[in-house]
Amino acid sequence: MLKHLKKIALAIIALPLLLTGILFLYEIFGMCVNHLATKSQTKRLTAVLEAEVPDVVLLEIYSETGNTSGTGNHVDCLSEVIFSTGMQQADLEKKLYQHYGYDEQGCFLSQTEEGYYRFYLNTSAPFADNIEGH
């Protein structure tokens, strides 16, 4: 009888530790998937630019995974590319917005003070409620 009580007590103590460990591993898995999604998004963005803009020169490629707005508990995948080209902004927008939905906050093309173009893409991460966004 005492042997059974010891096993029950051990299970009661071990269960919260086991569940905490599983939750921890799930959060780590989510972080890895989110970072891979950002890397893939940025790679696709640069590939689209190189395919659609014949004279593109990629000057700066930036990506970030996390809560990019600083508000709320969510995780974003942010990709930003600064590039130069001889194309006009209207022509660039036509080509790029075939691949990405323009919405003025999460996806847009703008011009920098130096005359370069900046393409900004911010999407929700696959594990948007991950600990990384808190």
Side-chain angles (χ1 to χ4, degrees):
M1 178 76 170
L2 189 59
K3 195 174 192 178
H4 292 304
L5 288 176
K6 284 183 180 180
K7 286 183 180 180
I8 291 172
L10 183 60
I12 290 172
I13 292 170
L15 187 61
L17 294 174
L18 178 65
L19 293 175
T20 302
I22 290 171
L23 179 62
F24 177 76
L25 291 175
Y26 176 76
E27 292 293 332
I28 295 297
F29 174 76
M31 288 173 65
C32 292
V33 170
N34 288 344
H35 283 269
L36 286 172
T38 302
K39 184 176 181 177
S40 175
Q41 173 178 287
T42 304
K43 186 176 179 180
R44 180 176 179 268
L45 175 57
T46 57
V48 166
L49 283 169
E50 290 172 338
E52 292 291 338
V53 183
D55 64 341
V56 70
V57 177
L58 303 177
L59 302 171
E60 186 177 332
I61 300 169
Y62 175 78
S63 63
E64 178 181 344
T65 305
N67 186 340
T68 59
S69 68
T71 60
N73 296 331
H74 64 283
V75 182
D76 299 316
C77 297
L78 170 64
S79 301
E80 196 171 1
V81 178
I82 297 176
F83 63 96
S84 67
T85 180
M87 291 180 72
Q88 297 299 314
Q89 185 164 346
D91 296 329
L92 283 170
E93 288 173 352
K94 286 178 190 174
K95 288 188 176 270
L96 295 175
Y97 295 152
Q98 293 174 12
H99 301 275
Y100 299 100
Y102 175 74
D103 69 4
E104 293 186 24
Q105 288 185 339
C107 177
F108 60 87
L109 179 70
S110 62
Q111 215 165 4
T112 66
E113 292 178 6
E114 296 84 15
Y116 302 125
Y117 291 101
R118 172 182 170 242
F119 193 82
Y120 178 92
L121 180 62
N122 192 348
T123 61
S124 182
F127 286 82
D129 194 29
N130 188 268
I131 191 72
E132 196 170 21
H134 296 271

